[in-house]
Every structure is written in C-alpha cells, then in structure tokens.
Amino acid sequence: MPSKAPVSLAARERLRDHQAAAAKAVGAHSAALARLDVVISRRAEVLAGQDFLVGAANAEVEAAVVTAAQVMGVEVAATLLDLTKAEVRRVIKASEVADN
C-alpha cells in the first residue's frame, strides 16, 4: 500500500539524476551502434574492392602461366614457374573453359 507521506525534494532529484543518466547511457549506446553500422559498411566496401583487385591479379598470374606453357611447353613452364605439371594443366584448362 502506497505511503501518504510526500516524497522529499532530495529523492525527486536523485530520481531525475538517475533518469538523466539512463537516457544518456541509452543515447551513447545508440550513437555507438550507428558508428558501428557505418564502419561495417565501409569495411564491406573496402573488402569488395580488395577482392576485385585480388581476382584481377590472380587472372593476370593465370594468363602468364598459360602464356609460359604455350611458349615453353607444360613441363618446362612448370619447372621454371615452380608449379606442378598438374597445376599448369589446370590453369590452362580453366582458361580454355573461361574463353568458351
């Protein structure tokens, strides 16, 4: 059963201070979440750009392997490029599939 005694001014101030601190904490959390969303979005953009660059560089390496095999033959290209003959053949086959 609620008391009929009035709430003291000090108790009201403590309640207001507590409510203000809680609102500030919730606001800080919301701002931190917003910053996290921005950072995650930027990271995704950077990773996508880097993935593209890695793919392009990988394609360049594979094209160089194909060219070396065409010029020198699979066995010599594999030896000089420090690859197995199977790896060279795989790159050549993948290149042929990509061209068709």
Side-chain angles (χ1 to χ4, degrees):
M1 190 154 152
S3 169
K4 302 279 183 188
V7 177
S8 72
L9 182 59
R12 288 184 202 157
E13 287 178 11
R14 284 193 308 272
L15 177 60
R16 276 192 292 270
D17 290 345
H18 177 74
Q19 289 172 333
K24 186 176 180 180
V26 169
H29 179 260
S30 295
L33 282 176
R35 284 190 300 277
L36 178 61
D37 286 343
V38 168
V39 169
I40 288 172
S41 176
R42 285 183 190 157
R43 181 181 73 176
E45 291 173 9
V46 168
L47 287 176
Q50 292 301 309
D51 286 346
F52 175 79
L53 293 175
V54 167
N58 190 49
E60 188 177 336
V61 168
E62 289 179 352
V65 170
V66 169
T67 301
Q70 289 170 341
V71 170
M72 301 177 246
V74 171
E75 191 168 324
V76 175
T79 301
L80 293 176
L81 301 176
D82 196 27
L83 300 170
T84 65
K85 289 185 276 187
E87 289 172 315
V88 173
R89 286 189 192 103
R90 180 194 54 78
V91 171
I92 292 169
K93 186 174 182 177
S95 172
E96 290 170 353
V97 170
D99 289 343
N100 290 332

